[in-house]
Amino acid sequence: MKALILNERRTVSLVDHPKPEASAPTDVVVRVVQTGICGTDRSVLVGKFPAEPGVVMGHEAVGFVDAVGSAVTAHKPGDRVIINPTLYCGSCPSCLRGHWDFCANKAGTEVGLDLDGAFAEFIRLPERFVHTLPEGMDFDRAVVVEPLACALNNIEAGRLEAGETAVIVGGGPVGVVCAMAARHYGARVLLIEPDPYRQELCRKVFAQDGDGRVTVHTPDEAELARRGDVVVDTVGSLLEPSLEYAAARGRVVIMGYNSKASATVRPLEILQRGLQIIGAGDYNSRLFPKAIELARWLPLERLVTHRFPLERHEEAFAALAAAPGTPYSALKVVLVPE
């Protein structure tokens, strides 16, 4: 099969790769229809997040079941499915307490980072990480369910309530999904994005709702200061400005992945303003079925602005400013095998 492999130079190459087989009793092999490019994928290529050279990248996948192991009962060939790529062992102390998102045995199980992922024609995973799509949900909506699970994890970690104001820092795909989820929870949403092209894309996404509950802003607007009951830093490197956006007793959630980011905070300010800084980690897989259900009511397909075949992966990543000197020219990009 064709697959995009990460190489030592932090670029990807399209190669011939062995097709995975359902070798274990609980294995499910999925024929990939399309896979979204995640901010984490971009972070790997620009040096902000680690991954193992030689791995097939990609993890936001939807497709059809191709083959199943002898013990699989929930799926059969031809079923439309979505991948939950947040794997867990189920037997370590964290997993036994239900904290699957903090599984102690992550090495070798990070899909698209150190375990072969979905920028390929086929992917193999254990049955419990493969979910059936609701009847009538198209693949363009379904391919954004995994980012929605990430958004729900962070929105719920911030304990957002109806009637509050949510400040979402970053107008990329995850930021937009966070804004959609926060709006659905009944919040007023201020979405912050510095890039003019992405600002316009964000406005188009929410203009169709017609209620003005999500507005798009530049980072330096004075009216943003101390507005957020919940502030979500979807970029992962903007904790300091996020604290400035937080209202008294605000909750600031660090969501974006950036291994090189650092920040300086003043403990006395945290104390006197009653602020909370929250790290939610990966989503617990219990959230994934909830995200699938919520996706019935959210127009996630609005995010998908570009699709490319695997052969045009360089153009796909360039649209997300992953190549040096290239600006953003897309919101959500999906890669499609032949």
Side-chain angles (χ1 to χ4, degrees), residues 173-233:
V174 167
V176 173
V177 173
C178 278
M180 279 189 178
R183 177 183 178 276
H184 186 82
Y185 277 42
R188 167 86 165 87
V189 184
L190 310 178
L191 179 60
I192 300 174
E193 171 55 45
D195 182 78
Y197 181 82
R198 279 199 155 175
Q199 288 172 15
E200 187 58 28
L201 290 178
C202 292
R203 291 189 178 98
K204 287 180 179 178
V205 167
F206 292 104
Q208 300 174 60
D209 297 320
D211 58 13
R213 284 173 49 205
V214 179
T215 52
V216 180
H217 303 265
T218 57
D220 56 353
E221 292 180 25
E223 67 181 270
L224 297 172
R226 307 203 175 185
R227 288 286 303 280
D229 299 296
V230 174
V231 182
V232 182
D233 172 13

Side-chain angles (χ1 to χ4, degrees), residues 39-201:
T40 303
D41 300 319
R42 180 185 180 278
S43 292
V44 169
L45 298 186
V46 299
K48 293 181 179 179
F49 201 74
E52 290 295 320
V55 73
V56 178
M57 293 187 65
H59 58 272
E60 298 177 0
V62 293
F64 294 96
V65 173
D66 179 71
V68 298
S70 59
V72 173
T73 59
H75 306 291
K76 64 183 184 303
D79 286 352
R80 298 186 327 129
V81 293
I82 182 170
I83 296 300
N84 169 12
T86 303
L87 308 191
Y88 59 90
C89 72
S91 59
C92 71
S94 289
C95 286
L96 291 174
R97 291 195 297 270
H99 304 309
W100 301 338
D101 42 338
F102 293 98
C103 174
N105 296 312
K106 282 287 192 181
T109 70
E110 299 278 6
V111 175
L113 297 175
D114 61 13
L115 178 70
D116 280 347
F119 290 158
E121 295 178 275
F122 298 89
I123 182 175
R124 174 182 60 207
L125 286 174
E127 177 182 20
R128 64 184 174 186
F129 302 108
V130 179
H131 297 257
T132 301
L133 282 183
E135 185 175 351
M137 184 180 293
D138 65 36
F139 283 127
D140 275 359
R141 179 171 294 197
V143 80
V144 191
V145 164
E146 198 275 343
L148 178 59
C150 297
L152 292 181
N153 181 49
N154 288 272
I155 291 293
E156 294 193 354
R159 306 184 304 281
L160 182 68
E161 297 182 0
E164 291 191 317
T165 295
V167 175
I168 309 299
V169 183
V174 167
V176 173
V177 173
C178 278
M180 279 189 178
R183 177 183 178 276
H184 186 82
Y185 277 42
R188 167 86 165 87
V189 184
L190 310 178
L191 179 60
I192 300 174
E193 171 55 45
D195 182 78
Y197 181 82
R198 279 199 155 175
Q199 288 172 15
E200 187 58 28
L201 290 178

Side-chain angles (χ1 to χ4, degrees), residues 39-40 43 48-49 233-237 255-259 281-283:
T40 303
S43 292
K48 293 181 179 179
F49 201 74
D233 172 13
T234 72
V235 181
S237 60
M255 181 180 183
Y257 282 61
N258 186 338
S259 62
D282 292 332
Y283 59 81

